[in-house]
Amino acid sequence: MAAHMARIRSLNRLQRFGLAAYRRYSSGTGYPNISLSTALPDTPKPVFATVDGQEKYETKITTLENGLKVASQNKFGQFCTVGILVNSGSRHETKYPSGISHFLEKLAFSSTAQYGSKDEILLTLEKHGGICDCQTSRDTTMYAVSAEVKGLETVVNLLSDVVLQPRLTDDEIEMTRMAVRFELEDLNMRPDPEPLLTEMIHAAAYRGNTVGLPRFSPPENIDKIDQVMLHGYLRNYYSPERMVLAGVGIEHDQLVQCARKYLLGVKPVWGAGKTGNVDLSVAQYTGGIVKTEKDMSDVSLGPTPMPELTHIMIGLESCSFLEDDFIPFAVLNMMMGGGGSFSAGGPGKGMFTRLYLNVLNRHHWMYNATAYHHSYEDTGLLCIHASADPRQAREMVEIITREFIQMSGRAEEMELERAKTQLKSMLMMNLESRPVIFEDVGRQVLATGKRKLPHELCDLISKVTASDIKRVTAKMLRSKPAVAALGDLTELPTYDHIQEALSSKEGRLPRIYRLFR
């Protein structure tokens, strides 16, 4: 009986899919070989959604009556990323004790007018598969939530409450003080000195102003910051015209509707007083040196400890991200590249960059040589970070200064094309990620009121020429250097000698003759 039924099923398949689609295997069973290029019989014709060519890419922006901007980028998927970006950061703390932005980052998503605790907020987000985060930088504070698209209204309501109605209780502020103290301790004990050096190079380049103010709270300010001070700061900087509600993966009209419902006419917890004390200072590049003598011998203990190293970072003023020269500087930074001497690399991963070819490949004692480019709305800083044995500090500095001088030489065509291709591929790969698109949309709209699309940026990168690189390098080399040094600094050259090397044709330090070593 079973054999008879199997035979009937086989005949049915044969009639339905034809002889060519039917194969018999040695086991006696049959398997239909269905074509992947021909539609199955009797299946309904699919109807695909059609979009206008431009609509797929454009970022839609609406400004509400209170000045708040709403920006969105549609991206197909079940989840969305929505957040509020505020034009507020450590650069705006001129009239306040440094560290307020650091405190606000730690206090984010704590108790609010609607939610009694952080746990309540997390449970609400969990119902929509959501997570939340807050990050502050020198010029921007960003509150973000990723959750299911269906929960958009809940998410915008929650964001409005977190940003405009935080309770900032004494217990929460005390817990934040402990968290900040722990983070500062961790920062000083971490084997990777990059965050510390970034702080130091900004302090040296913009001494006592705007982006040179500390991003992390200085220990002496931790006990000074209280609820009254936080409310005073929020009153000045958390106004609607300094905010952007950005979303990726949602319909623009739906986001605008939620913004009108939860962010229009809402009275913040600190009161609706006038914002008269907004700091509009323009960054003043000063150059200079910040040194920290530190015993680095016990930073990385264990069976294979890192050797004791001296870390140097040298920077020069570049330009703001609003200037046309920003793209050539980004290409120059990619051309310099670099990394650690033990990092896994390969073509397209930095092994053909100048700092690999000229520094790490030629000087075996160099542990690290990496280029960084920090850019803000009114200034920028291009710097090189290098690490080596303390006894080699002087030679290491000379190698960096030589690389800066050699930037002004003509770039080879292949080298330039590789850097441009690498920059474009990095840009496009990063923008595959929804949270990265969200940050890009939010930051661009906050700074300029519009967004340059990826294909526009790729066109600008393609237009960069060797003469553009030479021109921006010549402009950069006219500025005074900013120097940050950490570790055993016995062999570190003086600031004047570093400046002299960057003013010379070959980038060499002045020779020092010693009677005794």
Side-chain angles (χ1 to χ4, degrees):
M1 184 69 181
H4 177 67
M5 291 301 293
R7 210 166 19 253
I8 290 170
R9 277 199 299 272
S10 298
L11 283 169
N12 284 342
R13 280 199 291 268
L14 188 65
Q15 286 168 356
R16 190 171 177 191
F17 299 112
L19 194 62
Y22 181 77
R23 288 179 182 166
R24 181 165 292 283
Y25 294 92
S26 56
S27 61
T29 58
Y31 185 79
N33 184 14
I34 298 165
S35 168
L36 296 177
S37 56
T38 310
L40 290 170
D42 304 325
T43 53
K45 189 179 178 183
V47 180
F48 297 107
T50 55
V51 289
D52 173 28
Q54 190 60 26
E55 196 179 310
K56 287 186 289 185
Y57 306 110
E58 72 173 335
T59 301
K60 294 181 177 177
I61 302 164
T62 302
T63 305
L64 302 186
E65 292 82 349
N66 62 355
L68 177 92
K69 291 185 181 68
V70 181
S72 75
Q73 178 82 40
N74 211 343
K75 185 177 168 69
F76 299 110
Q78 195 180 343
F79 281 78
C80 64
T81 299
V82 182
I84 293 175
L85 290 92
V86 189
N87 186 5
S88 151
S90 59
R91 70 170 294 162
H92 300 107
E93 293 171 1
T94 312
K95 298 169 185 173
Y96 298 88
S98 290
I100 287 182
S101 299
H102 193 190
F103 264 68
L104 289 172
E105 180 185 56
K106 299 286 174 233
L107 284 162
F109 296 99
S110 295
S111 65
T112 67
Q114 286 183 47
Y115 300 93
S117 68
K118 191 166 196 161
D119 290 341
E120 273 188 47
I121 290 175
L122 296 176
L123 281 168
T124 305
L125 287 174
E126 259 180 42
K127 290 173 190 172
H128 300 285
I131 54 169
C132 61
D133 186 29
C134 176
Q135 291 177 8
T136 59
S137 62
R138 294 179 192 282
D139 53 2
T140 311
T141 301
M142 182 172 69
Y143 299 81
V145 172
S146 286
E148 260 191 319
V149 176
K150 293 173 189 172
L152 178 66
E153 192 157 328
T154 306
V155 166
V156 176
N157 182 15
L158 188 147
L159 282 165
S160 169
D161 216 40
V162 163
V163 175
L164 300 174
Q165 305 280 335
R167 284 187 184 167
L168 306 178
T169 63
D170 291 341
D171 286 347
E172 286 170 350
I173 291 171
E174 194 52 50
M175 286 295 288
T176 301
R177 287 190 181 119
M178 288 168 63
V180 168
R181 282 194 183 99
F182 175 79
E183 191 173 350
L184 294 178
E185 246 177 78
D186 178 61
L187 199 66
N188 286 308
M189 291 166 64
R190 209 181 290 179
D192 175 26
E194 200 267 321
L196 211 54
L197 280 167
T198 303
E199 277 289 282
M200 291 164 70
I201 197 81
H202 279 83
Y206 306 94
R207 196 169 287 277
N209 75 89
T210 57
V211 292
L213 298 173
R215 195 173 83 77
F216 300 103
S217 175
E220 63 272 14
N221 288 354
I222 292 173
D223 291 321
K224 292 179 187 174
I225 295 170
D226 57 14
Q227 190 195 66
V228 175
M229 196 175 285
L230 291 168
H231 277 176
Y233 180 86
L234 291 166
R235 190 178 297 112
N236 282 325
Y237 291 99
Y238 277 46
S239 54
E241 66 276 6
R242 298 177 66 85
M243 293 183 188
V244 169
L245 173 68
V248 175
I250 29 84
E251 291 292 334
H252 185 70
D253 293 342
Q254 201 181 350
L255 188 63
V256 171
Q257 194 180 336
C258 290
R260 287 187 185 281
K261 188 173 179 182
Y262 297 110
L263 288 160
L264 202 61
V266 178
K267 189 180 177 185
V269 73
W270 50 85
K274 280 199 169 185
T275 58
N277 284 320
V278 173
D279 180 47
L280 301 172
S281 305
V282 176
Q284 302 295 317
Y285 182 86
T286 59
I289 186 165
V290 172
K291 300 187 287 186
T292 304
E293 285 269 2
K294 190 178 175 188
D295 180 13
M296 306 287 279
S297 58
D298 59 349
V299 166
S300 174
L301 300 173
T304 54
M306 279 281 287
E308 184 183 353
L309 300 173
T310 292
H311 305 278
I312 310 284
M313 199 180 263
I314 298 178
L316 294 167
E317 188 180 21
S318 58
C319 71
S320 92
F321 55 67
L322 300 175
E323 293 178 47
D324 293 338
D325 284 343
F326 172 67
I327 300 292
F329 268 116
V331 174
L332 175 63
N333 178 52
M334 192 57 70
M335 199 189 296
M336 296 310 294
S341 56
F342 300 110
S343 62
K349 285 191 79 179
M351 291 301 253
F352 287 97
T353 61
R354 286 191 183 183
L355 292 178
Y356 257 112
L357 291 173
N358 302 345
V359 178
L360 294 169
N361 284 354
R362 293 184 186 179
H363 307 283
H364 64 90
W365 44 268
M366 289 278 278
Y367 278 79
N368 180 48
T370 314
Y372 297 97
H373 188 216
H374 305 280
S375 201
Y376 305 97
E377 63 182 354
D378 50 5
T379 187
L381 190 66
L382 191 136
C383 35
I384 296 176
H385 166 211
S387 308
D389 187 278
R391 291 165 295 183
Q392 308 275 7
R394 186 177 178 82
E395 200 175 340
M396 171 170 65
V397 169
E398 186 168 271
I399 288 164
I400 300 173
T401 54
R402 278 213 306 267
E403 284 306 310
F404 270 115
I405 296 298
Q406 283 168 16
M407 286 182 199
S408 58
R410 189 160 183 82
E412 295 291 327
E413 189 181 347
M414 189 185 287
E415 177 188 39
L416 181 62
E417 285 305 315
R418 184 183 281 121
K420 283 155 66 173
T421 304
Q422 205 172 336
L423 182 59
K424 283 188 275 190
S425 67
M426 190 178 80
L427 173 74
M428 299 310 286
M429 282 190 284
N430 284 342
L431 289 172
E432 287 290 309
S433 161
R434 192 181 61 250
V436 175
I437 300 172
F438 158 75
E439 191 172 340
D440 183 51
V441 169
R443 282 181 180 276
Q444 284 203 51
V445 173
L446 190 65
T448 64
K450 57 186 181 183
R451 183 188 179 218
K452 272 185 183 165
L453 297 172
H455 66 85
E456 294 177 73
L457 292 169
C458 286
D459 289 344
L460 290 171
I461 292 166
S462 297
K463 289 174 185 171
V464 174
T465 62
S467 58
D468 289 332
I469 300 292
K470 193 169 182 177
R471 176 176 52 79
V472 297
T473 304
K475 176 184 164 187
M476 179 179 70
L477 286 167
R478 287 197 289 270
S479 63
K480 285 174 70 177
V483 182
L486 180 69
D488 179 352
L489 309 178
T490 314
E491 294 295 317
L492 181 73
T494 63
Y495 178 75
D496 290 339
H497 281 183
I498 295 170
Q499 195 171 354
E500 204 175 314
L502 287 166
S503 306
S504 67
K505 282 186 179 179
E506 294 181 355
R508 293 191 180 279
L509 291 166
R511 292 289 155 254
I512 292 178
Y513 301 99
R514 296 177 183 170
L515 288 173
F516 306 103
R517 284 199 171 271

